[in-house]
């Protein structure tokens, strides 16, 4: 079996930063990433064949990403980089299982970093399964790497600053936006509260830059608004939007219909924790940070010794936090492997912590504003599908609820919710929130769906093609 | 809190315990079921979902299986919710020449016992299951009465009906001890309180021995791990319960120490294929390992090449409550009044559970069973745990 001292799963900002720090210290690093090219969702690069004429048009994070990736490429010979490699399991906390080049294999590690990122928070409402309804991340991928617009007249609905980034990218790509619905209250809370935060001018400048372009294009930014329903025969034709109260419950009297053919939903992100959960790391629930997230020490180590977690997969916090956390994990791993004295490691980590602290102050404000409120989880009607893979409706879940079912695991058994190919990634987070609110139970009381290998779908032919040498038939 | 008293306390909420509780409630008994974990949370929720008789041995084994197949049919009519029981037929596929003598010997003994089986040739097999590889099929034993079910739905259906009939079901409730005095059961102590009772049914599967130890009874049940894979949903692809004849060959059937795998396939009503199955002695470990997942994929892709492009979405493992003679332990226990065993069903708990439940109910309510089960009592084992 192949082995690498430090295996990093995920080639987004956090994984890349960790790889660079560890490699600089002399560690043999293997970086494994599912995508064809490095950068993750945040620094997503173009599919081969595209040329970037105007990096400015892709947002500031694109430029920043290019710089980081350039630095990474300078360390090329010191880091083993596997692209299009899917991690489908972790076993005995000493090896990960890879699907790569059409065959399954095992890769041993001494230290592991999960930099697995996050995905868009699914919010079920009537019509959310219609073609033409995109996640903000999915739409961003289309626009950024494939240069395809999701529709001709687009509605953005959700919360938080990532919506502004997407809007900016759509406009720069020549798209038309009907409106941006922000469930929270941007101007009132956002900008005013920013004034109290010193030292985050970068963020502020960036945000204001996006806002300016949106205003220039004449796109209405409707605060305190959400999408309640989407209608259409074959695909989205219109959306019902309305004002909300402070719990984000919509006011029926304010509901109105807008004609759109695409809807992008950006209600924040949910951490991808399949790998750390499968590894048996302890997790705790924090809605602000993206649901269940692994508990970590200040060195980014989880409760399983030797396994680290950084970035959005360990609590949604954006690329700047991911980079600093990645650096810390890289330095810590190098130190624990004996490549750096603990004093040197401590010295190197200090500035990262300082920058993290600075970002942290800013983030708390953002978190408060964009935290999903309970009204959002009351939009689904009886016939609304909650689990898309198994087509389980709210009504079926309610019926299960009456049969003394309180835990997600029991819902799964009774309704097949979460049993599809996404393994509950789509329905799990909503289910936790709906149960929390409907029964006033804590998230811990509701439980979560335990991932089992394979954590992502893998073709049986790929598994069957595993190196026979890996087989230790006794 | 738990009820203060009950006529019968059933320990274990799998197919076996849920069947016992259902039939007792139906017979009007005041019954409480205690389960430390989830509904169908152990082997009952992680198996091949077969309702199967082909490989059952002559004698009490096939009689119990046939009895239970009938009870599955009865439950299908009785229970209000569907549990996806389909008698689509069973196929024991002969994949290697070396398996032939074992299969022939089995067929001969079954015919002598009055339970004959039908042997079909490769062409007939491929007509029944066209996706199987021509190269891997030499022939098969066919049984029209075998099939598959949804064991989790079966448990849920049994539980909800039992509750309607007055049974109380306590999940996430752990049995800590059994009170006894003068050689008779007096109560069950749980982490949520004590239930006074004179009758306890040990349907705790792989934990059956821990429960019986509470009344100083040693039960030779050991955990035996089996792992399986779940694929994405497919259109109708496999219509039978399919098993490889390697299971008939003693040395392949898990008696060796290492990792083994034999062909198992069935398609759930929802469309997912359950494929397996690998085995290894792993104690009470429920995790699957990379090696066995890859091995199961290899065995199944070899038998059905179209599976190459079908995606795995999940794997699961559980341990079967195995006994040395591969038969369950059913009935009263000498020396302790009111302690009844219904565990050790090995890999056949789903198939034999409903039948066992009915027999235990008859034993409790009538003092006798519809056919004799003395060959299944604990007393068949000597001190070393061998029959």
């Amino acid at each position: 079996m192949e082995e690498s001292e430090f295996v990093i799963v995920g080639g987004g900002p956090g994984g890349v930063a960790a790889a660079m720090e560890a490699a600089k210290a002399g560690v043999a690093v293997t970086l494994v990433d599912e995508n064809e090219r490095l950068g993750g969702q945040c620094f997503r690069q173009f599919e081969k064949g595209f040329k970037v004429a105007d990096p400015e048009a892709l947002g500031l994070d694109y430029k920043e990403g290019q710089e980081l990736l350039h630095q990474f490429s300078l360390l090329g010979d010191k880091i083993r980089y596997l692209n299009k490699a899917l991690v489908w399991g972790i076993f005995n906390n000493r090896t990960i299982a890879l699907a790569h080049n059409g065959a399954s294999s095992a890769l041993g590690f001494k230290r592991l970093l999960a930099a697995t990122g996050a995905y868009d928070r699914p919010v079920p409402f009537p019509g959310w399964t219609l073609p033409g309804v995109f996640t903000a991340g999915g739409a961003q991928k289309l626009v950024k790497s494939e240069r395809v617009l999701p529709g001709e007249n687009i509605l953005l609905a959700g919360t938080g600053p990532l919506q502004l980034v997407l809007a900016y990218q759509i406009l720069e790509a020549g798209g038309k936006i009907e409106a941006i619905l922000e469930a929270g209250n941007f101007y009132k809370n956002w900008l005013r509260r920013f004034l109290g935060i010193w030292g985050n001018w970068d963020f502020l400048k960036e945000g204001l830059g996006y806002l300016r372009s949106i205003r220039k294009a004449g796109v209405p930014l409707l605060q305190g608004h959400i999408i309640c329903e989407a209608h259409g025969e074959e695909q989205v034709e219109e959306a019902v939007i309305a004002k909300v109260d402070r719990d984000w419950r919509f006011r029926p009297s304010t509901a109105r219909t807008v004609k759109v053919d695409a809807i992008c939903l950006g209600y924040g992100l949910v951490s991808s924790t399949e790998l750390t959960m499968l590894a048996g790391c302890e997790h705790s629930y924090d809605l602000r940070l993206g649901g269940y997230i692994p508990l970590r020490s200040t060195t980014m180590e989880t409760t399983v010794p030797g396994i680290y977690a950084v970035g959005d997969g360990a609590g949604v916090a954006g690329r700047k936090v991911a980079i600093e956390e990645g650096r810390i994990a890289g330095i810590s791993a190098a130190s624990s492997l004996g490549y750096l004295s603990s004093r040197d490691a401590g010295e190197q980590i200090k500035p990262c912590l300082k920058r993290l602290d600075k970002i942290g102050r800013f983030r708390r404000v953002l978190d408060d504003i964009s935290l999903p409120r309970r009204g959002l989880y009351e939009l689904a009607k009886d016939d609304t599908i909650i689990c898309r893979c198994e087509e389980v409706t709210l009504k079926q879940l309610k019926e299960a609820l009456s049969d003394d079912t309180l835990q997600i695991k029991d819902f799964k058994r009774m309704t097949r919710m979460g049993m599809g190919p996404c393994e509950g990634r789509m329905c799990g987070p909503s289910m936790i929130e709906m149960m929390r609110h409907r029964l006033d139970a804590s998230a811990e009381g509701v439980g979560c769906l335990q991932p089992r290998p394979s954590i992502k779908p893998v073709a049986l032919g790929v598994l069957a093609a595993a190196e026979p040498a890996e087989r230790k038939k006794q | 809190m738990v009820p203060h008293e009950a006529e019968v306390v059933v320990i274990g909420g799998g197919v076996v315990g849920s069947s016992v509780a259902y039939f007792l409630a139906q017979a009007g008994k005041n019954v409480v079921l205690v389960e430390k974990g989830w509904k169908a949370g152990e082997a009952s929720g992680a198996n091949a979902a077969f309702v199967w008789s082909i490989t059952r041995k002559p004698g009490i084994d096939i009689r119990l299986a046939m009895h239970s197949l009938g009870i599955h049919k009865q439950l299908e009519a009785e229970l209000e919710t569907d549990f996806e029981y389909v008698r689509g037929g069973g196929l024991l596929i002969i994949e290697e020449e070396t398996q032939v003598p074992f299969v022939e010997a089995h067929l001969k003994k079954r015919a002598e016992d009055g339970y004959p089986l039908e042997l079909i040739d490769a062409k007939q097999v491929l007509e029944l299951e066209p996706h199987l590889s021509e190269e891997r099929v030499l022939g098969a034993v066919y049984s029209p009465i075998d099939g598959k079910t949804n064991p989790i739905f079966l448990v849920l259906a049994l539980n909800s009906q039992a509750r309607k009939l007055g049974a109380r079901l306590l999940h996430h409730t752990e049995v800590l001890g059994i009170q006894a005095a003068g050689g008779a059961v007096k109560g069950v102590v749980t982490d949520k309180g004590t239930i006074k009772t004179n009758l306890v049914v040990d349907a705790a599967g792989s934990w059956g021995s821990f429960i019986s130890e509470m009344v100083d009874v040693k039960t030779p049940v050991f955990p035996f791990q089996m792992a399986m894979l779940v694929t994405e949903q497919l259109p109708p692809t496999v219509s039978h319960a399919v098993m490889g004849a390697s299971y008939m060959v003693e040395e392949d059937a898990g008696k060796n120490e290492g990792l083994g795998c034999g062909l198992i396939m069935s398609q759930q009503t929802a469309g997912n294929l359950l494929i397996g199955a690998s085995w290894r002695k792993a104690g009470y470990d429920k995790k699957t390992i990379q090696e066995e997942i890859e091995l199961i994929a290899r065995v199944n892709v070899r038998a059905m090449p179209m599976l190459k492009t079908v995606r795995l979405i999940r794997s699961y493992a559980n341990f079967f409550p195995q006994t040395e003679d591969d038969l369950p332990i059913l009935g009263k226990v000498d020396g302790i009044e009111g302690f009844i065993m219904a565990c050790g069903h090995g890999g056949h708990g789903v198939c034999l559970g409903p039948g066992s439940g009915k027999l235990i109910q008859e034993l409790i309510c009538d003092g006798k069973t519809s056919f004799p089960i003395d060959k299944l009592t604990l007393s068949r084992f000597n001190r070393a745990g061998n029959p």
Side-chain angles (χ1 to χ4, degrees):
Chain A
M1 183 187 61
E2 257 189 274
E3 233 188 85
S4 178
E5 278 184 312
F6 189 29
V7 172
I8 297 172
V9 181
V16 167
M20 283 164 58
E21 291 299 332
K24 269 192 263 172
V27 180
V29 179
T30 303
L31 178 68
V32 183
D33 191 49
E34 240 174 86
N35 294 298
E36 191 176 344
R37 309 190 66 185
L38 275 181
Q41 175 72 356
C42 185
F43 295 153
R44 186 170 291 287
Q45 300 185 79
F46 287 95
E47 301 294 331
K48 283 192 179 122
F50 283 111
K51 252 198 191 141
V52 184
D54 179 15
E56 199 72 47
L58 291 159
L60 300 165
D61 57 347
Y62 180 81
K63 283 201 296 189
E64 193 183 309
Q66 287 303 304
E67 178 55 29
L68 189 74
L69 297 178
H70 173 67
Q71 284 170 24
F72 179 85
S73 69
L74 299 180
L75 287 162
D77 53 332
K78 291 187 180 139
I79 300 167
R80 189 164 163 247
Y81 162 52
L82 298 178
N83 69 336
K84 292 197 278 182
L86 178 90
V87 175
W88 62 266
I90 176 166
F91 297 96
N92 291 325
N93 292 343
R94 280 293 160 261
T95 60
I96 54 166
L98 283 179
H100 184 50
N101 285 338
S104 176
S105 61
L107 175 61
F109 60 82
K110 289 200 175 83
R111 302 288 181 275
L112 180 82
L113 173 65
T116 44
Y119 59 101
D120 290 86
R121 173 178 292 282
V123 173
F125 59 85
W128 77 300
T129 53
L130 275 174
V133 180
F134 295 84
T135 62
Q140 196 174 34
K141 194 176 166 187
L142 274 182
V143 177
K144 257 172 107 172
S145 65
E146 284 156 50
R147 306 297 271 163
V148 173
L149 288 166
E152 283 174 14
N153 195 28
I154 306 162
L155 178 72
L156 268 59
T159 186
L162 284 177
Q163 284 214 100
L164 303 183
V165 182
L166 175 61
Y168 174 80
Q169 286 160 349
I170 290 174
L171 291 173
E172 290 297 314
K176 179 177 175 301
I177 298 173
E178 173 73 23
I180 303 167
L181 310 183
E182 163 57 51
N185 236 323
F186 250 49
Y187 288 118
K188 266 193 205 146
N189 300 333
W190 236 60
L191 295 178
R192 188 158 8 122
R193 287 173 70 179
F194 282 167
L195 297 178
I197 309 160
W198 296 103
N200 278 296
W201 296 114
D202 279 359
F203 274 108
L204 207 52
K205 232 169 72 189
E206 204 177 315
L208 288 172
Y210 293 135
L211 271 176
R212 253 197 307 276
S213 322
I214 290 161
R215 206 176 289 160
K216 217 171 93 189
V219 176
L221 174 59
L222 307 175
Q223 307 150 68
H225 276 70
I226 60 170
I227 176 167
C228 316
E229 287 179 29
H231 300 154
E233 282 294 319
E234 305 268 292
Q235 79 121 57
V236 171
E237 289 162 23
E238 55 183 42
V240 179
I241 65 173
K243 279 189 185 172
V244 291
D245 65 14
R246 43 188 302 199
D247 284 330
W248 294 8
R249 287 195 175 90
F250 75 93
R251 298 179 182 164
S253 62
T254 65
R256 64 189 169 95
T257 303
V258 292
K259 292 249 176 260
V260 290
D261 65 350
I263 297 167
C264 303
L265 301 171
Y267 284 106
L269 302 170
V270 181
S271 299
S272 290
T273 53
E274 296 81 19
L275 197 60
T276 47
M277 281 209 176
L278 191 61
C281 306
E282 267 182 66
H283 289 67
S284 67
Y285 192 78
D286 190 332
L287 183 57
R288 274 183 172 71
L289 297 179
Y292 278 98
I293 52 167
L295 299 177
R296 295 178 297 165
S297 69
T298 49
T299 59
M300 306 298 148
E301 199 169 6
T302 65
T303 55
V304 174
I307 297 184
Y308 298 76
V310 300
D312 285 353
V316 175
R319 66 180 193 276
K320 295 197 180 193
V321 169
I323 290 170
E324 300 307 332
E325 289 188 350
R327 284 179 180 142
I328 295 172
I331 295 162
S332 306
S335 169
S336 75
L337 287 165
Y339 287 91
L340 281 174
S341 72
S342 49
R343 230 191 82 188
D344 287 349
E347 282 302 312
Q348 291 186 28
I349 284 173
K350 229 184 251 166
C352 305
L353 286 173
K354 215 168 155 188
R355 285 191 293 267
L356 266 183
D357 183 56
K358 196 169 105 180
I359 305 163
R361 270 179 285 153
F362 176 82
R363 271 191 45 74
R364 273 188 286 280
V365 177
L366 276 189
D367 289 342
D368 281 346
I369 295 165
S370 49
L371 176 73
R373 309 287 149 93
R374 50 193 296 182
L376 213 50
Y377 294 99
E378 293 168 9
L379 291 171
K381 292 183 177 161
D382 273 0
D383 60 352
T384 305
I385 285 171
I386 308 295
C387 167
R388 303 176 73 135
C389 300
E390 296 284 338
E391 301 192 340
V392 180
T393 61
L394 181 63
K395 185 162 177 256
Q396 286 169 282
L397 291 166
K398 279 185 187 166
E399 281 165 5
L401 187 67
S402 64
D403 204 5
D404 88 333
T405 302
L406 295 167
Q407 305 251 336
I408 296 235
K409 271 193 187 174
D410 271 335
F411 279 110
K412 179 172 172 176
R413 288 193 165 78
M414 299 190 77
T415 65
R416 296 188 56 87
M417 175 212 113
M419 281 198 177
C422 91
E423 284 283 294
R425 278 161 63 93
M426 289 300 278
C427 58
S430 317
M431 206 46 209
I432 291 171
E433 280 307 303
M434 289 194 289
M435 287 296 291
R436 256 161 43 104
H437 296 320
R438 279 170 200 274
L439 295 176
D440 293 325
S442 75
E444 259 71 14
V446 179
C448 60
L449 295 167
Q450 281 296 334
R452 278 178 286 176
S454 60
I455 51 178
K456 298 233 171 115
V458 193
L460 292 170
V462 171
L463 295 167
E467 286 287 308
E470 309 284 347
R471 235 190 315 172
K472 284 170 287 178
K473 191 120 195 190
Q474 286 168 358
Chain B
M1 282 301 284
V2 301
H4 288 300
E5 56 184 337
E7 281 181 274
V8 190
V9 173
V10 179
I11 301 170
V15 174
V16 179
S18 297
S19 298
V20 174
Y22 164 70
F23 285 116
L24 284 172
Q26 195 185 42
K29 287 283 177 195
N30 167 9
V31 57
V32 173
L33 182 146
V34 184
E35 161 60 53
K36 67 172 169 49
W38 308 86
K39 294 167 183 165
E42 299 291 347
S44 290
N47 53 71
F50 277 26
V51 180
W52 171 269
S53 66
I54 292 180
T55 49
R56 305 318 297 164
K57 296 187 188 81
I60 186 73
D61 197 7
I62 185 63
R63 277 164 185 75
L64 182 61
M66 286 304 196
H67 172 68
S68 203
L69 254 60
I71 304 292
H72 277 271
K73 253 307 187 225
Q74 182 190 327
L75 288 176
E76 196 184 17
E78 272 178 26
L79 300 181
E80 281 167 22
T81 47
D82 178 40
F83 50 91
E84 302 175 351
Y85 176 40
V86 182
R87 281 194 176 184
L91 285 169
L92 183 81
I93 309 287
I94 304 166
E95 292 177 284
E96 315 268 355
E97 284 292 346
T98 52
Q99 294 162 354
V100 174
F102 291 90
V103 173
E104 279 177 346
H106 178 65
L107 258 56
K108 186 163 171 280
K109 278 189 273 175
R110 279 280 297 263
E112 283 166 8
D113 194 36
Y115 293 92
L117 284 161
E118 189 187 345
L119 194 64
I120 60 175
D121 63 24
K123 194 167 154 262
Q124 289 169 297
V125 177
L126 292 165
E127 272 165 24
L128 293 174
E129 290 295 351
H131 294 298
L132 283 171
S133 161
E134 267 177 60
E135 285 159 32
R136 294 297 301 170
V137 177
L138 303 179
V141 182
Y142 172 67
S143 161
I145 57 168
D146 288 5
K148 70 213 171 180
T149 187
N150 182 325
I152 295 173
F153 283 7
L154 172 60
V155 167
L156 297 174
L158 286 164
N159 287 170
S160 85
Q161 202 96 342
R163 197 182 296 114
K164 281 183 192 160
L165 293 165
R168 276 160 297 177
L169 311 175
L170 311 174
H171 288 89
H172 307 290
T173 305
E174 195 175 348
V175 172
L176 303 176
I178 295 172
Q179 295 173 331
V185 167
K186 295 291 174 203
V188 173
V189 183
T190 78
D191 58 351
K192 293 182 182 143
T194 299
I195 310 163
K196 275 208 301 195
T197 187
N198 295 320
L199 266 177
V200 165
V201 179
D202 176 0
S206 283
W207 291 265
S209 52
F210 297 114
I211 298 299
S212 72
E213 260 168 44
M214 294 174 180
V215 287
D216 292 326
V217 170
K218 268 188 98 100
T219 309
V221 171
F222 54 93
F224 186 70
Q225 205 223 51
M226 191 185 97
M228 293 198 60
L229 311 183
V230 185
T231 73
E232 61 191 322
Q233 295 181 351
L234 300 176
T237 305
V238 177
S239 53
H240 296 73
V242 175
M243 187 188 276
S246 65
Y247 287 92
M248 294 302 300
V249 183
E250 191 83 1
E251 61 182 327
D252 280 358
K255 303 290 179 188
N256 55 342
E257 288 295 313
L259 174 65
C261 182
L263 183 68
I264 292 270
M265 282 179 179
S266 73
Q267 187 164 21
Q268 289 185 301
T269 301
N272 310 82
L273 294 184
L274 304 183
I275 61 172
S278 66
W279 56 75
R280 62 197 170 95
K281 285 192 173 152
Y284 286 87
D285 186 5
K286 279 196 282 190
K287 288 200 188 88
T288 49
I289 59 174
Q290 179 167 2
E291 237 175 307
E292 71 191 352
I293 293 172
E294 290 166 350
L295 180 59
I296 295 169
R298 204 151 36 233
V299 165
N300 280 271
V301 166
R302 191 177 59 187
M304 195 175 271
M306 61 84 71
L307 292 179
K308 252 185 175 174
T309 54
V310 172
R311 296 181 308 164
L312 164 76
I313 59 170
R314 174 165 74 241
S315 59
Y316 56 81
N318 211 295
F319 22 89
F320 293 140
Q322 200 65 39
T323 59
E324 206 52 57
D325 57 5
D326 205 23
L327 289 171
I329 304 170
L330 294 182
K332 294 179 180 173
V333 177
D334 295 336
I336 176 85
E337 185 71 30
F339 189 79
I340 294 172
M341 303 227 46
C343 67
H345 286 76
H348 323 294
V350 171
C351 177
L352 303 182
S356 304
K358 183 70 182 142
L359 290 166
I360 295 298
Q361 173 262 316
E362 290 166 357
L363 184 69
I364 289 171
C365 298
D366 313 330
K368 58 179 170 50
T369 50
S370 43
F371 67 91
I373 56 166
D374 27 300
K375 282 187 180 145
L376 296 174
T377 56
L378 182 63
S379 58
R380 73 177 185 271
F381 296 101
N382 61 21
R383 279 188 185 191
N386 295 316

